[in-house]
Amino acid sequence: ILNRLGRVNAAQGKIEDAFKSYEQALELMTDIENSALEAETVFNVANLYSQQGEFDKALDRHKRALAITRTLRDRAAEALSLNDIGELYRLMGNKERAFANHEAALGIRTELKDPKGIATSRNNLGVLHFQEKNFSEAMSNLEKALAAARESQDQEQIRKAHEFLSACYEAQEDFRQALDHKKHFIDI
């Protein structure tokens, strides 16, 4: 209940209340020893730190959540943590580690046959390649993200793929394709 209350408070922008709920939940964890719930709570705390721009603290918590999920052999949660660690490294300007974490998350999600997760990982890799001006790799990942997102009917990932495909085509001066993807992006 405290973990869920923390998520509700975070969604409502009540950050201090969210932190308090998570802290109380983590205190109770010492008595009940529920590693899966502990990993989820630590993950949620990491997301709060990310929202506040405290990337070092967020990274520390995400790594802690990752360690717990690995001991539990929860591959889906592991991929989620790797994805968020990859995004933190991207925001911190460490492209090499961002790529490594997103590739690891993609590997797990592919193994799990998780189209929604694959779409997210492919989009994140596409964005990284786009930022590096490696448009062919960006477009390859974004097209694969679009296919996986359509399979899972994930509108947010479909939107993101179209947004960056449009940007890739525009950078290559293929304005017809750029406009086509921009229209799809706007429609969503």
Side-chain angles (χ1 to χ4, degrees):
I1 291 170
L2 287 167
N3 198 24
R4 288 187 178 138
L5 181 60
R7 286 198 312 263
V8 169
N9 284 328
Q12 292 178 343
K14 299 175 182 175
I15 303 302
E16 290 305 315
D17 291 340
F19 273 119
K20 286 177 186 173
S21 295
Y22 292 142
E23 286 171 15
Q24 289 175 327
L26 288 170
E27 286 173 16
L28 293 173
M29 299 289 169
T30 58
D31 295 333
I32 61 172
E33 296 182 22
N34 183 334
S35 296
L37 192 55
E38 180 182 4
E40 181 183 342
T41 305
V42 172
F43 182 86
N44 290 338
V45 170
N47 286 336
L48 278 181
Y49 281 128
S50 290
Q51 290 171 9
Q52 293 187 309
E54 295 187 49
F55 300 139
D56 289 328
K57 288 181 180 179
L59 187 58
D60 177 63
R61 296 322 185 280
H62 273 304
K63 286 181 177 181
R64 187 170 145 202
L66 177 61
I68 296 168
T69 59
R70 283 182 169 160
T71 62
L72 296 171
R73 299 178 193 257
D74 183 344
R75 301 289 280 162
E78 181 180 353
L80 190 59
S81 287
L82 287 166
N83 178 76
D84 284 15
I85 290 169
E87 281 301 283
L88 280 171
Y89 278 127
R90 182 183 67 78
L91 292 168
M92 297 168 80
N94 189 333
K95 299 284 183 2
E96 188 175 305
R97 286 193 173 186
F99 274 115
N101 281 277
H102 284 308
E103 289 286 352
L106 176 62
I108 293 169
R109 288 168 164 171
T110 301
E111 177 186 307
L112 295 174
K113 296 178 174 60
D114 171 15
K116 186 173 182 168
I118 291 168
T120 299
S121 291
R122 286 283 182 193
N123 267 333
N124 289 335
L125 286 165
V127 169
L128 282 167
H129 284 294
F130 173 78
Q131 291 173 340
E132 295 290 306
K133 298 188 184 338
N134 184 347
F135 300 119
S136 63
E137 279 298 314
M139 291 166 62
S140 173
N141 276 286
L142 293 166
E143 289 289 352
K144 290 173 184 173
L146 187 57
R150 285 179 174 150
E151 180 183 339
S152 64
Q153 299 178 8
D154 185 335
Q155 295 299 304
E156 178 60 26
Q157 294 305 318
I158 293 170
R159 184 202 59 77
K160 185 175 182 179
H162 280 302
E163 176 183 13
F164 282 94
L165 281 166
S166 176
C168 285
Y169 281 112
E170 184 179 340
Q172 295 181 319
E173 298 184 1
D174 184 342
F175 300 115
R176 173 175 276 165
Q177 288 287 341
L179 180 60
D180 185 51
H181 284 286
K182 182 64 87 176
K183 285 179 182 178
H184 289 296
F185 166 75
I186 291 168
D187 287 345
I188 293 172

